[in-house]
Amino acid sequence: MKKFKTVFNQVKSLNGAEAPDMANLLWQLICYSPKMPVRLQQQHLLDEAKPFTLEVDDPHFAKSVLKFNGFVWGESSRKIMITHGWGSKAADFAELITALKNITDTQVIAFDAPGNGSSEGELSNLLLFAKAAEAVINTFGAPDIIIGHSLGAMANAIAVKETAIKPALLISIAPLINLKENFVASLNAADVAPAIQDKFFADFEHLFAMEASGFTMDRLYPSGAIKRHWLAYDEDDKTAPYKFLKDFLAVYPSIQTKAYDGRGHERIIKDEAVIADIVNLIA
């Protein structure tokens, strides 16, 4: 978190002006995932798991193979995969994982995406999240239930498409819907001038061979592969604005939704009511 704050303050101090290393600063501002240490309760949960390490290729930032770490609780053939959000890690689902472990005949699999938590990588992005989810699916088999929070929900959509699996239940918690708008919000918060933002997005398109505006949930969504989709949200979520979610849900009215007012974007995954509803859905 300290590094992210340093980069943010450095960009903001420019007051909209450009710096010699502006491109590098903006990539760090947008693609450096803040890291928080594991708390004692979380570490106890990780110690109970069977750890694993897998690899994904990062052709954009590291330009090499990155190792990422994961954790498995239980031995059942009924698998639950959890994909965390930006600036997060598997251990941040400690409360939910603890509750899921108590469901009879389940195996819970969670991982730290590249550039997050305990995994390798300096910068990260949605595609690395999705590649990690795909690697877990290809290694452990198709999950019956897939849970994703924030950017993890978008990554799950890509992974389901790429692996051609058909999970019985997809659970999305405060999903991001329009990734470019999140980028713009971060750039605006740091007072990056419009012309410099335009150059950043041109660089983005050159690097990823795709416009940032293409990373939206409605374009990524694997509608034919989802048997049942349940979605939790907070209408006042500032990170995942409801106006984008509302438009997405209008296109996919079969998605079941439930609002949890006042939970916020990060705390919603720890909320007792949210966890209880998820357990009831699965059990």
Side-chain angles (χ1 to χ4, degrees):
M1 182 62 77
K2 183 179 179 181
K3 177 176 179 178
F4 176 79
K5 288 182 178 179
T6 299
V7 171
F8 179 86
N9 291 334
Q10 189 173 355
V11 174
K12 194 172 180 67
S13 68
L14 295 170
N15 295 315
E18 190 162 4
D21 60 343
M22 195 67 178
N24 179 55
L25 284 173
L26 293 188
W27 280 117
Q28 292 186 64
L29 177 68
I30 297 301
C31 295
Y32 176 77
S33 184
K35 298 172 181 63
M36 298 294 289
V38 174
R39 301 194 309 271
L40 182 60
Q41 174 198 1
Q42 295 174 333
Q43 187 59 55
H44 287 330
L45 181 65
L46 297 180
D47 290 341
E48 296 174 3
K50 180 179 178 180
F52 66 86
T53 300
L54 298 174
E55 296 181 344
V56 295
D57 180 47
D58 176 13
H60 301 109
F61 295 136
K63 294 180 171 55
S64 65
V65 169
L66 296 175
K67 294 180 180 179
F68 72 95
N69 300 317
F71 314 89
V72 180
W73 294 266
E75 299 290 342
S76 173
S77 60
R78 188 185 187 213
K79 303 180 189 302
I80 303 171
M81 184 182 79
I82 300 176
T83 308
H84 66 77
W86 188 254
S88 186
K89 54 191 177 296
D92 290 335
F93 283 89
E95 293 83 357
L96 176 58
I97 292 170
T98 298
L100 294 176
K101 283 170 56 204
N102 293 326
I103 301 176
T104 303
D105 193 32
T106 56
Q107 180 183 66
V108 182
I109 307 170
F111 60 91
D112 294 347
N116 292 258
S118 63
S119 296
E120 292 182 347
E122 178 67 15
L123 301 181
S124 191
N125 58 70
L126 171 61
L127 298 182
L128 285 176
F129 272 64
K131 284 183 178 182
E134 292 168 33
V136 170
I137 292 168
N138 291 331
T139 300
F140 292 95
D144 300 275
I145 298 135
I146 300 180
I147 301 172
H149 170 238
S150 188
L151 189 74
M154 295 188 83
N156 285 344
I158 296 174
V160 169
K161 263 189 175 181
E162 291 298 317
T163 57
I165 62 171
K166 294 188 176 182
L169 175 62
L170 179 67
I171 295 175
S172 298
I173 308 170
L176 293 189
I177 303 297
N178 189 320
L179 195 55
K180 183 178 180 179
E181 290 300 326
N182 284 85
F183 293 166
V184 170
S186 296
L187 294 167
N188 286 341
D191 296 331
V192 178
I196 299 176
Q197 291 192 31
D198 290 342
K199 186 176 185 308
F200 169 78
F201 286 116
D203 291 343
F204 184 100
E205 181 180 356
H206 176 73
L207 181 64
F208 289 96
M210 181 177 178
E211 293 183 357
S213 58
F215 291 98
T216 59
M217 186 65 94
D218 61 323
R219 296 190 185 188
L220 302 174
Y221 192 64
S223 56
I226 305 301
K227 298 178 183 178
R228 185 184 184 192
H229 188 177
W230 184 86
L231 189 153
Y233 69 96
D234 178 354
E235 194 166 327
D236 293 325
D237 189 333
K238 305 305 181 186
T239 303
Y242 179 67
K243 62 179 180 179
F244 300 127
L245 176 61
K246 185 178 179 180
D247 291 342
F248 169 68
L249 294 175
V251 179
Y252 298 100
S254 63
I255 298 175
Q256 298 171 272
T257 64
K258 186 169 181 178
Y260 296 86
D261 297 338
R263 269 60 169 197
H265 189 72
E266 295 177 0
R267 290 186 297 107
I268 193 169
I269 63 172
K270 306 177 188 298
D271 184 79
E272 291 183 1
V274 175
I275 292 173
D277 285 341
I278 291 174
V279 169
N280 287 333
L281 280 168
I282 295 172

